[in-house]
Amino acid sequence: MSGNQQVITIHGEQELVARAGHLFEGARSEFVCAATDLKTWSRPTTRASMAGRVHRADGLVIRKLYTPVALADEEQRSHLLERVSVGARIRICRTGLLQHETIIIDRRVMILAGAEVAGDREFTVTTSPTLISGVYALFEATWEAATDLTAYLRSDPPQVDAEGRRVLRALGEGLTDEAAARRLGLSLRTYRRRVAELMRLLDSDSRFQAGVHAGEFGLIS
Amino acid sequence: MSGNQQVITIHGEQELVARAGHLFEGARSEFVCAATDLKTWSRPTTRASMAGRVHRADGLVIRKLYTPVALADEEQRSHLLERVSVGARIRICRTGLLQHETIIIDRRVMILAGAEVAGDREFTVTTSPTLISGVYALFEATWEAATDLTAYLRSDPPQVDAEGRRVLRALGEGLTDEAAARRLGLSLRTYRRRVAELMRLLDSDSRFQAGVHAGEFGLIS
DNA sequence: CGGCAACTGGCAGCTTGCTGCCACCCGCTC
DNA sequence: GAGCGGGTGGCAGCAAGCTGCCAGTTGCCG
């Protein structure tokens, strides 16, 4: 990796392991990544091969950002919790898909996973300070907006379907039940049944309390 | 801009204008940027020179993400509001510094502003799909976590005194007015007067809505 | 001290919210 | 087709919330 551009393209996970595997071992101060879930770019064997090398340096800070998709799978959830228990910091991002994995090592090297090309996923590896610092800034902004994994799990958001979301939005606009029901095309009785169900889901005894909780769970949008 | 890497480095703003100015004109569907403020990377003349070319295509979506720093300066604030009034979408990111400007045009071209080198700022321009899609995903996550400019400006938190805070806490616990009044040592009528005043401060027509807003303002704690 | 403004608290009348009840409808199963 | 479970919608009764009214209280000022 030399020359002015400091950017190389790698085809396939095997090549990634061969050419960039040492980068993971070399991580000294910080390893950060952002992805939808643990399966965003790698087969389990590749992931184990790469990730297993990361945990050897004292003082190494590991930060990983995933979306709630990672928690839908029990195996991934367990794995993430185990990672947390050995010191990794993991946050859940609710505001984006993070469909392209981004890894930054020691703020010196960055690996981006791209699309699959002819059956192999394409990776871009770069040491360009401009690229890395720009992406790192966005990573930081996203990280700060995200929720710690353990806090996220403690505040398991209730499952609210599309109609429930619509009801919450109407509630959030301050409409009377009658106006909201009319808008949503429901009878007043049915609307109120929906509201009662949401109150139960939000574990709330009053509408004010429900409003607070709905906001906390990010259910208003 | 050809070759495998699709990444070039540009030194200085004059060279940026000369070599990449046409990219701004070519923007057809979307122009997005993220930066601390309007002054993150360019002198006013360069900015005017570049930005002035962006607004000509019908259907072009312009999204800009800045930090609150951009609003501390009255001139910038006015400029941003004027941009909003002509259709640009602007959000304020409270969770990061965005110290390195990132621009993505039509999801085909990305420009990143780096450090100053020998008096000139270094820019990286790339058409690499992997790089762009990775950065775009992070941009999206940050954008979604950010607050709309007009909402941000409108959401000056209301001033709530100590008693108001106590009332909000009681409300947040789901108590009936009678129970809350008793706990706070107020008559029901006075308690309800307090609640009515809070509803006014929170600009809310229902208790649910007030709950949402109170949470948004961080008044429940 | 008297006057005034602001606030409190009880009461009443009204609206909104909550939920049970029941008839009816729909889809599914045997 | 009959039976059943789940859901809808109208209605009624009740609780909770909202606010005006008015008498009484408090604090401040001249």
Side-chain angles (χ1 to χ4, degrees), chain A residues 88-158:
Chain A
R89 289 145 66 175
I90 297 176
R91 289 191 181 182
I92 303 298
C93 166
R94 272 186 275 216
T95 58
L97 299 177
L98 305 182
Q99 61 270 49
H100 301 279
E101 183 157 19
T102 303
I103 294 172
I104 300 178
I105 298 167
D106 293 336
R107 301 196 201 183
R108 289 187 303 104
V109 187
M110 176 168 73
I111 303 169
L112 288 170
E116 283 209 353
V117 178
D120 273 336
R121 187 174 297 279
E122 193 172 276
F123 300 89
T124 295
V125 181
T126 179
T127 55
S128 157
T130 301
L131 281 172
I132 293 172
S133 54
V135 175
Y136 194 85
L138 283 170
F139 174 87
E140 278 290 295
T142 311
W143 174 264
E144 287 301 324
T147 308
D148 192 69
L149 173 63
T150 50
Y152 184 89
L153 289 176
R154 205 162 39 216
S155 66
D156 208 14

Side-chain angles (χ1 to χ4, degrees), chain A residues 1 5-6 17 28-29 71 80 86 102 106 115 148 160 196 202:
Chain A
M1 191 177 303
Q5 307 303 338
Q6 302 172 310
V17 173
R28 294 180 183 289
S29 59
L71 301 177
L80 292 179
V86 297
T102 303
D106 293 336
D148 192 69
V160 179
L202 293 168

Side-chain angles (χ1 to χ4, degrees), chain A residues 9 24 33 55 105 110 115 126-127 129 136-137 159 161 179 216-217:
Chain A
T9 302
F24 287 70
C33 81
H55 310 290
I105 298 167
M110 176 168 73
T126 179
T127 55
Y136 194 85
Q159 299 305 307
D161 62 15
E216 281 168 353
F217 288 129

Side-chain angles (χ1 to χ4, degrees), chain B:
Chain B
M1 192 179 296
S2 64
N4 196 30
Q5 308 305 338
Q6 302 171 313
V7 177
I8 60 169
T9 301
I10 287 175
H11 302 278
E13 301 183 5
Q14 280 191 314
E15 190 182 342
L16 180 70
V17 174
R19 298 184 63 182
H22 65 282
L23 297 174
F24 287 70
E25 291 176 21
R28 294 183 181 289
S29 57
E30 188 181 54
F31 175 94
V32 304
C33 80
T36 302
D37 66 1
L38 291 159
K39 292 187 277 191
T40 299
W41 62 273
S42 59
R43 293 180 293 242
T45 52
T46 308
R47 176 171 21 102
S49 177
M50 306 294 274
R53 309 184 187 191
V54 179
H55 310 291
R56 299 186 186 168
D58 283 334
L60 177 68
V61 173
I62 298 176
R63 292 195 282 163
K64 299 188 178 186
L65 189 57
Y66 295 110
T67 71
V69 172
L71 300 176
D73 177 42
E74 188 54 47
E75 186 189 354
Q76 291 197 36
R77 177 187 291 223
S78 298
H79 176 80
L80 292 179
L81 285 170
E82 191 266 334
R83 291 288 91 209
V84 168
S85 72
V86 297
R89 289 145 67 175
I90 297 177
R91 289 190 180 183
I92 303 299
C93 167
R94 273 185 273 214
T95 58
L97 299 176
L98 305 182
Q99 62 271 45
H100 300 280
E101 183 157 19
T102 303
I103 294 171
I104 300 178
I105 298 169
D106 294 335
R107 299 197 203 181
R108 290 187 302 104
V109 186
M110 175 167 74
I111 303 169
L112 288 170
E116 284 209 351
V117 177
D120 272 337
R121 186 174 299 275
E122 195 173 272
F123 301 90
T124 296
V125 181
T126 178
T127 57
S128 158
T130 301
L131 281 171
I132 293 171
S133 54
V135 175
Y136 196 85
L138 283 168
F139 174 87
E140 278 290 296
T142 313
W143 174 264
E144 286 301 325
T147 308
D148 192 69
L149 173 63
T150 50
Y152 184 88
L153 291 175
R154 204 164 44 208
S155 68
D156 209 12
Q159 301 304 309
V160 178
D161 63 14
E163 191 187 48
R165 297 272 176 157
R166 286 195 292 272
V167 172
L168 284 169
R169 273 196 290 274
L171 283 166
E173 288 182 36
L175 301 175
T176 59
D177 289 357
E178 196 175 323
R182 198 181 312 122
R183 178 197 286 189
L184 298 184
L186 304 172
S187 76
L188 181 59
R189 186 72 191 84
T190 298
Y191 177 83
R192 282 181 175 165
R193 279 205 175 95
R194 299 286 181 274
V195 172
E197 175 62 13
L198 286 168
M199 299 287 277
R200 190 190 64 79
L201 284 176
L202 293 168
D203 194 27
S204 300
D205 294 314
S206 72
R207 288 197 180 196
F208 186 97
Q209 189 181 33
V212 175
H213 288 166
E216 280 168 355
F217 289 133
L219 298 173
I220 310 281
S221 61

Side-chain angles (χ1 to χ4, degrees), chain A residues 14 24 38 40 57 98 108 125 134 141 184 191 193-194 196 205 213:
Chain A
Q14 282 190 315
F24 287 70
L38 290 160
T40 300
L98 305 182
R108 289 187 303 104
V125 181
L184 298 183
Y191 177 82
R193 279 205 176 96
R194 300 285 183 273
D205 293 315
H213 287 165

